[in-house]
Amino acid sequence: KEKELCTGTGAGSGARMGPALFQFSCSVRAGKDIKEAEAAMNEVIGAAATVPVTEQELQRVRASARRSDVGMRESALNRALTLADNAVLYNDPNRINTLSARLTAVRLADVQRVARTYLRPENRVVMHTLPGAATPPAPPSTQSR
């Protein structure tokens, strides 16, 4: 725990039609330097273009996509919303039946090609958010009613 820079990390694009942001996040552990955490994130992001992901990592992502696909189909409301989104946004309500196969078709070389194309330092915007100073609670009122 003493060496951890982040208490949690994440990445994703929030699938949507057209160009989208791909976001990485790191919740910096208390007492750690935010610049050190940013440098570590940049190192990992940069490695995606040169160090291939493993087949095991790709299988984990595929399994996660399958779980998401099953979860989306568990309720009639989720199915209806997905069908509507696919019809309106992509003009393809049948996309509900093909998306999982398209995600499964992604290969290791595809990941590196996309990383080299889009995860370049000149394409990045880095934002740090810090909690504001805590405000002390107001003292109890001494006036009687």
Side-chain angles (χ1 to χ4, degrees):
K1 291 276 183 194
E2 297 85 36
K3 292 183 180 183
E4 281 184 350
L5 295 172
C6 303
T7 58
T9 58
S13 67
R16 44 190 278 183
M17 187 177 84
L21 294 176
F22 192 88
Q23 301 176 33
F24 296 92
S25 64
C26 163
S27 297
V28 179
R29 183 172 289 287
K32 296 295 182 177
D33 181 17
I34 196 167
K35 291 291 189 182
E36 186 180 357
E38 180 184 336
M41 292 284 289
N42 284 335
E43 185 178 327
V44 171
I45 295 165
T50 57
V51 178
V53 297
T54 66
E55 186 62 36
Q56 181 183 13
E57 290 171 315
L58 201 52
Q59 288 300 331
R60 280 198 319 254
V61 171
R62 288 177 179 145
S64 176
R66 282 192 302 273
R67 278 191 307 275
S68 177
D69 193 38
V70 168
M72 177 271 308
R73 295 170 187 260
E74 284 184 338
S75 81
L77 177 60
N78 279 341
R79 280 193 309 273
L81 290 171
T82 302
L83 284 166
D85 284 347
N86 289 333
V88 171
L89 297 175
Y90 301 97
N91 196 29
D92 183 11
N94 190 52
R95 189 170 179 268
I96 192 173
N97 297 316
T98 60
L99 184 57
S100 184
R102 288 186 18 234
L103 291 173
T104 302
V106 172
R107 300 290 170 232
L108 297 171
D110 298 327
V111 175
Q112 275 194 300
R113 177 182 46 78
V114 169
R116 278 192 304 273
T117 303
Y118 297 105
L119 301 182
R120 300 186 321 256
E122 61 271 16
N123 288 351
R124 295 183 194 157
V125 173
V126 177
M127 181 173 62
H128 298 167
T129 57
L130 301 170
T135 56
S141 174
T142 56
Q143 295 178 349
S144 60
R145 294 185 184 214

